[in-house]
Amino acid sequence: MIDDILDRMTLEEQVSLLSGADFWTTVPVERLGVPKIKVTDGPNGARGAGSLVAGVNAACFPVAIALGATWNPQLVERMGVAIAGQAKSKGASVLLAPTVNIHRSGLNGRNFECYSEDPMLTAELAVAYIQGVQSQGIAATIKHFAGNESEIERQTMSSDIDERTLREIYLLPFERAVKKAGVMAVMSSYNRLNGIYTSEHPWLLTTVLREEWGFDGIVMSDWFGSHTTAATVNAGLDLEMPGPARDRGEKLVRAVRNGEVKPEAVRMAARRILTLLERVGAFEKAPDLSEHALDLPEDRALIRQLGAEGAVLLKNDGILPLQKAGLGHVAVIGPNAAEARVMGGGSAQIAAHYRISPLDGIREALSNANSIQYAAGCRNNRLVNVFSGEMRVEYFTGRNWSGSPIAVETADVGEFFWFDLPSAELDPSDFSARMTAFYVPAESGEHIFGMTNAGLAKLYVDGRLVVNGFDGWTRGDNYFGTANVEQRQSIHLVAGQRYEVVVEYCALGSTGEGINLTAVRFGVEKPLGDADMAEAVETARAADVALLFVGRDGQWDTEGLDLPNMRLPGRQEELIEKVAAVNANTVVVLQTGGPIEMPWLGRVKAVLQMWYPGQELGHAVADVLFGDVEPGGRLPQTFPKQLSDNSAMTGDETVYPGRDGHVRYAEGVFVGYRHHDTRGVEPLFPFGFGLGYTRFSWSNAKASAVQMGSEGLTVSVDITNIGDRRGSELVQLYVRPLAPTVERPDKELRAFAKVQLAPGETGTASLVLGPRDLSYFDEKTKAFRASAGRYELLAAANAADIRSNVTIELAKEWIGEASDRAI
């Protein structure tokens, strides 16, 4: 059928398939029965075609680092199945997920969107996610291919990575997704790889991806991430997104007729697009692109289970789990207590069905006689709290708010990110909007108004210009680098008085600087000060236990900018110190998208890392704190004692954050625990670390053979739950070459198994290894290579806790082939 369609297509029609129709859909060819399909952002939900901050509600699942902390591929596969259902509810056939870039620096703004610092753990979870999604007839899109481990100058930065490091660390998850999961789509990254944009990188897209790995799906650009016509097509980029065409269309037709692109290259790319449509069933039944909310009880239950499964108990001096019956006064404190920080920022955002805050979850769990008192203590938001309340939004043609509005609508949140405008008469590059609302402060005093805008905007309070985002506007660090730095101004407001707030916004039009977006966000808040800190301390002093919820939110952990450091923002460290000084039973619950420094660690009784676990946050937190379920998580990323202990933080700006458009991955394969173990840098918490509520005994590891053969071998460890609660234990298997012929990490994760056991129950962790698990990538022979000799297999609870080992031998050197599918 596909050959018949291609034979009947004109060159122009084939070319039309190679660009999007708009932001989210492909181009149909109606005369030949080729339908359009829709794609939707992931990876922790399916947003549909709505804006980043609005649209049809969707189920909000845990972010990727929280999934990495589960070390549970079976559960992640179930999530993939559920998210495929969410994608269908948004009329989408393609999900833009998973993200498998590696945790390199600890400061990447999208660290939360990625699974782990380890490529093997990343690969196993990505394969499970993809298999779940694609089992439901939805195509998964693995991203970002490749070398996108920072948000700094991400649209132009060259990630300079040697081939061994690429093959062993950064490409492995993509390789396994192709060979093991049969992923249907790959998204190229924004950055350059060794000087060449990945969207036009022949070695990456054709030599490695298609010829070596055998990938037969489509490669699409990240949004606005392609830059040329002939170079992208010739390199193997099939789909330019979003549409309408920028560098394809008539430009590509001319390139074919001028001999810059062979007609066969266009036909092959069009074939791959048509094959994708066939694989997702679009020819059998044209997709219904309409959207609706899908709020299923089984999704709610799965999100709650995943939240607890990924919760990592980092410290516990016997205080957890809390006994509900014995609790009297409970202090719930901190900026993340009453706010439900359920997801990170950027393109991963969705309009969640609901958000359960920790305070809500604890109140529900302690609904009997327990006394709960709340105090925020301080704030941790990067941007001023967004405006909340009913407002009138008027849209005008042109940029001067003149004439009658073309469209009028209402909104209840002061953030607008326009992919689509409410009327076809409005030109996205030449329109204006006026938002009118009223604000009634609860308290008198200084209030801060803040605004950031991709475009030009002014904010007025009772007719007075308060925030000027118009004059002197320049690009800054918001909305993927398309909006200015947030402009702030404080004014005195009187409690109970009604103030008119008006924001006038106009589009900037194309600037020729990469991505151009239209967005505005404005807010108001009364700053918290010493009195609020003192209130929190007094609340803690009077309580039997102080539950302190701190961390970051999606304004910090977000696409478009890296973190400034690895410390808790604002006055949160001071809050922890002061609360712990007056209450010996202080439990810190963290929500961050990656590691943080903990100078206060020795002063608190327990630390629980919850990440951003989705809409059931409060329920999952309460489940773990009160022992209804086990904290099942183990760290997917090393927590260093200080930022300078990270392998990328050498003090050389060419290594991080980059200089003159290049960032050197000078640490090579020594990323995360590979660096800490090999270089003798003691971490705060090692890779794979996590505590539970029960105890286990381990048998010594046993190998099924003393020699590694081509068929591989199995290592088994018997685990017995010797405690009085049901719980899980994670067995990690590392490989250590005893006489390496090249510099290699001290040990590398090659397999893992999570065992769930009732009290007194014994189970067996079976871990399978093959010859490639002993190998490194040899740049001279361009192949994975394992030298003959002895290897130690280490059964470990985490990278710093080796429980037993067994030595095996590889009798003769093993050399893999690029096309070898036994990975």
Side-chain angles (χ1 to χ4, degrees):
M1 178 185 74
I2 290 176
D3 279 333
D4 178 62
I5 293 173
L6 287 168
D7 289 342
R8 295 162 60 197
M9 275 186 167
T10 65
L11 173 63
E12 288 79 3
E13 287 171 331
Q14 290 182 10
V15 165
S16 74
L17 296 179
L18 308 187
S19 299
D22 50 35
F23 227 84
W24 302 115
T25 66
T26 61
V27 172
V29 182
E30 294 177 1
R31 79 175 185 90
L32 297 176
V34 177
K36 68 164 56 182
I37 59 172
K38 182 193 292 185
V39 306
T40 179
D41 266 326
N44 55 290
R47 186 177 60 248
S51 81
L52 294 187
V53 294
V56 178
N57 288 352
C60 181
F61 285 79
V63 300
I65 195 172
L67 301 180
T70 70
W71 293 67
N72 192 330
Q74 293 76 26
L75 201 56
V76 171
E77 183 172 355
R78 284 179 54 197
M79 175 177 153
V81 171
I83 283 192
Q86 291 291 317
K88 291 178 181 180
S89 77
K90 303 301 178 289
S93 302
V94 180
L95 184 72
L96 304 179
T99 302
V100 296
N101 299 106
I102 298 298
H103 296 159
R104 177 183 179 239
S105 69
L107 299 183
N108 181 12
R110 300 184 85 170
N111 198 86
F112 74 94
E113 280 193 63
C114 310
Y115 293 115
S116 175
E117 70 186 29
D118 183 80
M120 183 267 169
L121 174 57
T122 297
E124 289 298 303
L125 296 173
V127 165
Y129 183 101
I130 292 163
Q131 289 174 333
V133 169
Q134 295 190 167
S135 71
Q136 305 303 300
I138 298 295
T141 308
I142 196 165
K143 61 185 187 180
H144 306 88
F145 193 53
N148 178 203
E149 277 71 42
S150 170
E151 292 297 283
I152 296 174
E153 298 177 22
R154 65 171 181 162
Q155 290 178 257
T156 57
M157 185 70 79
S158 175
S159 297
D160 296 342
I161 314 172
D162 65 85
E163 188 174 359
R164 178 187 171 190
T165 300
L166 269 172
R167 298 281 193 166
E168 291 186 28
I169 305 294
Y170 298 100
L171 296 186
L172 179 64
F174 295 97
E175 181 185 2
R176 291 221 178 163
V178 170
K179 293 179 177 179
K180 192 173 180 180
V183 69
M184 295 184 194
V186 171
M187 181 187 290
S188 63
S189 53
Y190 285 117
N191 55 279
R192 294 177 292 153
L193 178 65
N194 297 323
I196 303 172
Y197 280 109
T198 63
S199 59
E200 52 193 62
H201 205 301
W203 177 83
L204 187 67
L205 302 186
T206 295
T207 303
V208 174
L209 181 61
R210 297 196 188 281
E211 295 175 358
E212 294 184 12
W213 297 349
F215 178 63
D216 63 357
I218 74 157
V219 179
M220 71 177 75
S221 73
D222 205 337
W223 268 228
F224 303 99
S226 58
H227 308 273
T228 57
T229 301
T232 57
V233 177
N234 291 334
L237 186 80
D238 300 309
L239 182 61
E240 172 196 62
M241 288 299 287
R246 299 178 309 283
D247 295 312
R248 302 280 174 99
E250 185 55 39
K251 290 181 182 179
L252 180 51
V253 172
R254 287 199 303 270
V256 172
R257 290 178 173 153
N258 292 340
E260 300 172 69
V261 176
K262 293 180 179 179
E264 293 80 7
V266 170
R267 182 183 174 99
M268 287 171 60
R271 167 184 284 281
R272 290 190 286 263
I273 299 294
L274 294 174
T275 300
L276 175 67
L277 267 61
E278 183 178 57
R279 287 173 172 169
V280 299
F283 286 118
E284 295 179 16
K285 182 181 180 182
D288 177 2
L289 304 185
S290 63
E291 303 190 3
H292 65 273
L294 184 66
D295 186 8
L296 300 175
E298 54 265 39
D299 285 354
R300 293 185 174 205
L302 178 58
I303 293 167
R304 186 167 180 168
Q305 181 182 357
L306 283 162
E309 188 82 0
V312 184
L313 185 59
L314 295 174
K315 179 179 180 179
N316 187 19
D317 286 350
I319 191 173
L320 297 179
L322 298 170
Q323 302 302 310
K324 296 178 185 178
L327 282 178
H329 297 289
V330 178
V332 180
I333 296 169
N336 282 25
E339 296 289 333
R341 314 293 196 189
V342 302
M343 69 186 99
S347 60
Q349 294 177 93
I350 59 173
H353 290 305
Y354 57 87
R355 304 176 182 217
I356 306 297
S357 72
L359 181 59
D360 290 336
I362 290 167
R363 282 173 171 162
E364 186 175 329
L366 300 178
S367 58
N368 295 324
N370 304 92
S371 171
I372 300 171
Q373 289 187 301
Y374 160 71
C378 65
R379 297 191 189 277
N380 63 0
N381 45 310
R382 185 175 67 88
L383 303 176
V384 171
N385 282 343
V386 69
F387 186 90
S388 178
E390 185 175 336
M391 67 192 77
R392 174 183 170 91
V393 187
E394 301 169 291
Y395 294 90
F396 304 85
T397 57
R399 301 177 189 167
N400 56 5
W401 310 276
S402 61
S404 300
I406 296 298
V408 178
E409 57 186 14
T410 59
D412 55 13
V413 176
E415 185 170 17
F416 299 85
F417 194 110
W418 291 285
F419 290 142
D420 298 302
L421 290 166
S423 170
E425 296 181 53
L426 296 168
D427 181 345
S429 64
D430 187 28
F431 81 98
S432 52
R434 179 183 293 119
M435 301 81 167
T436 303
F438 293 92
Y439 179 68
V440 180
E443 301 177 63
S444 296
E446 290 299 307
H447 285 65
I448 298 175
F449 283 86
M451 183 169 64
T452 179
N453 35 283
L456 305 177
K458 293 181 179 181
L459 184 151
Y460 301 86
V461 178
D462 280 351
R464 169 190 167 193
L465 177 62
V466 173
V467 182
N468 189 343
F470 198 102
D471 299 320
W473 181 94
T474 58
R475 285 182 177 232
D477 57 5
N478 294 307
Y479 292 113
F480 320 118
T482 67
N484 57 346
V485 173
E486 184 182 50
Q487 304 296 298
R488 297 183 176 191
Q489 183 63 49
S490 64
I491 62 173
H492 184 86
L493 301 181
V494 177
Q497 185 170 325
R498 189 169 182 256
Y499 295 88
E500 183 186 56
V501 178
V502 175
V503 171
E504 292 187 336
Y505 170 92
C506 67
L508 189 62
S510 177
T511 63
E513 300 180 49
I515 300 175
N516 292 289
L517 300 173
T518 52
V520 63
R521 181 192 186 279
F522 59 93
V524 59
E525 66 182 42
K526 188 176 186 297
L528 299 185
D530 292 343
D532 302 281
M533 180 75 70
E535 179 189 1
V537 172
E538 291 309 307
T539 300
R541 191 193 305 273
D544 296 320
V545 61
L547 303 178
L548 189 47
F549 293 86
V550 296
R552 300 192 293 258
D553 64 5
Q555 299 165 9
W556 291 103
D557 290 302
T558 185
E559 181 178 356
L561 71 157
D562 278 11
L563 293 162
N565 54 53
M566 212 176 277
R567 303 295 289 264
L568 289 174
R571 299 177 67 182
Q572 292 182 99
E573 291 182 359
E574 179 187 352
L575 178 64
I576 295 171
E577 298 272 5
K578 288 184 174 180
V579 167
V582 301
N583 192 314
N585 293 324
T586 295
V587 176
V588 172
V589 180
L590 291 170
Q591 282 197 266
T592 61
I596 62 163
E597 297 176 33
M598 302 184 195
W600 40 265
L601 181 62
R603 297 173 178 83
V604 301
K605 272 285 182 70
V607 180
L608 177 67
Q609 172 61 268
M610 286 300 300
W611 319 106
Y612 301 116
Q615 64 193 33
E616 287 283 333
L617 160 65
H619 290 147
V621 166
D623 287 345
V624 172
L625 289 176
F626 299 114
D628 296 323
V629 297
E630 173 88 354
R634 304 293 185 268
L635 288 180
Q637 183 174 15
T638 304
F639 276 39
K641 289 183 177 179
Q642 59 256 334
L643 177 61
S644 59
D645 289 344
N646 182 283
S647 61
M649 298 300 159
T650 64
D652 182 346
E653 66 178 5
T654 69
V655 177
Y656 183 89
R659 187 177 68 195
D660 300 328
H662 291 261
V663 58
R664 293 189 304 118
Y665 286 43
E667 71 279 7
V669 299
F670 298 95
V671 179
Y673 70 88
R674 290 168 168 81
H675 160 72
H676 285 268
D677 291 350
T678 310
R679 311 302 188 205
V681 181
E682 184 181 5
L684 182 64
F685 294 107
F687 174 77
F689 179 84
L691 304 172
Y693 290 157
T694 189
R695 296 176 297 121
F696 299 91
S697 66
W698 291 40
S699 73
N700 287 331
K702 299 176 182 178
S704 62
V706 295
Q707 285 198 348
M708 172 67 77
S710 59
E711 70 283 357
L713 56 80
T714 300
V715 175
S716 60
V717 180
D718 293 333
I719 307 293
T720 301
N721 185 343
I722 58 174
D724 56 4
R725 294 176 54 95
R726 182 174 185 85
S728 61
E729 185 72 317
L730 178 67
V731 180
Q732 303 162 39
L733 189 66
Y734 295 84
V735 171
R736 173 185 288 156
L738 294 180
T741 56
V742 298
E743 187 183 24
R744 297 184 63 176
D746 173 69
K747 61 180 182 291
E748 296 180 276
L749 182 73
R750 291 297 190 244
F752 63 89
K754 198 169 191 179
V755 184
Q756 303 272 353
L757 297 171
E761 185 180 4
T762 297
T764 300
S766 296
L767 306 121
V768 179
L769 297 181
R772 178 162 163 176
D773 293 312
L774 309 181
S775 73
Y776 67 96
F777 187 81
D778 182 11
E779 291 187 285
K780 292 181 180 179
T781 59
K782 302 294 183 184
F784 281 92
R785 184 180 199 134
S787 303
R790 297 165 67 236
Y791 294 80
E792 200 172 21
L793 310 182
L794 311 170
N798 60 67
D801 185 1
I802 310 301
R803 298 295 175 88
S804 65
N805 64 78
V806 59
T807 301
I808 64 166
E809 185 174 6
L810 182 66
K812 63 178 183 178
E813 182 179 63
W814 176 89
I815 299 178
E817 297 179 4
S819 60
D820 183 4
R821 292 179 178 267
I823 62 169

